[in-house]
Amino acid sequence: MIYAASFLDAEGCIVVYHRQETLENKGYFKLQVRVTQKYHIEPLEVFRDLWGGSIGRFGSGMFYWHAANRIAALSLEEMFPFLKVKREQAEEAIIFQKRRNKPGVRQSPDQKQMDLESTSKIKALKKVPIIS
């Protein structure tokens, strides 16, 4: 678990995607955790073996492990005690996922606003100050 948390801190990202509502679709929010590795797939297999999710490869050749929604939140909950760099992002992502409705249940305006705030907060926490 410590290995996975350290790897996520160094090579991963936590994001909540928000697809805007349009005439064609009702829009949605989606928690995603992704970890990348350029040369070796083995570290990503650790994540897949622990939580499921999937391993893929970008066109650039870079490998990635990806998990969404409940699986992503579970992985963050289990790594949380060991996270350093992404601890605050993980905390907000876990809170976000716990608020989720069951599939097919429409969000209330208050929940949608809280989800937008979570999206913004996680994005803001990615801003790393430059040390000179």
Side-chain angles (χ1 to χ4, degrees), residues 49-69:
D49 292 348
L50 286 169
W51 297 292
S54 60
I55 294 176
R57 197 168 195 179
F58 294 115
S60 65
M62 176 109 39
F63 295 102
Y64 65 89
W65 170 79
H66 162 266
N69 302 319

Side-chain angles (χ1 to χ4, degrees), residues 46-95:
V46 171
F47 287 84
R48 187 187 59 204
D49 292 348
L50 286 169
W51 297 292
S54 60
I55 294 176
R57 197 168 195 179
F58 294 115
S60 65
M62 176 109 39
F63 295 102
Y64 65 89
W65 170 79
H66 162 266
N69 302 319
R70 281 178 259 164
I71 293 172
L74 175 64
S75 71
L76 293 174
E77 286 173 0
E78 292 182 1
M79 286 186 279
F80 187 78
F82 310 106
L83 291 172
K84 304 288 184 216
V85 176
K86 293 184 171 58
R87 188 176 181 85
E88 290 178 272
Q89 292 177 48
E91 182 175 31
E92 188 63 31
I94 291 164
I95 291 167

Side-chain angles (χ1 to χ4, degrees), residues 7-50:
F7 212 89
L8 176 66
D9 266 342
E11 303 293 339
C13 72
I14 302 167
V15 65
V16 173
Y17 288 108
H18 175 222
R19 181 174 176 153
Q20 297 285 342
E21 191 165 336
T22 67
L23 293 175
E24 292 82 33
N25 71 62
K26 62 180 181 171
Y28 61 86
F29 291 86
K30 175 181 169 183
L31 171 61
Q32 183 177 35
V33 176
R34 180 178 287 164
V35 182
T36 58
Q37 177 64 19
K38 188 165 186 167
Y39 298 110
H40 302 284
I41 199 170
E42 293 83 0
L44 306 178
E45 290 172 338
V46 171
F47 287 84
R48 187 187 59 204
D49 292 348
L50 286 169

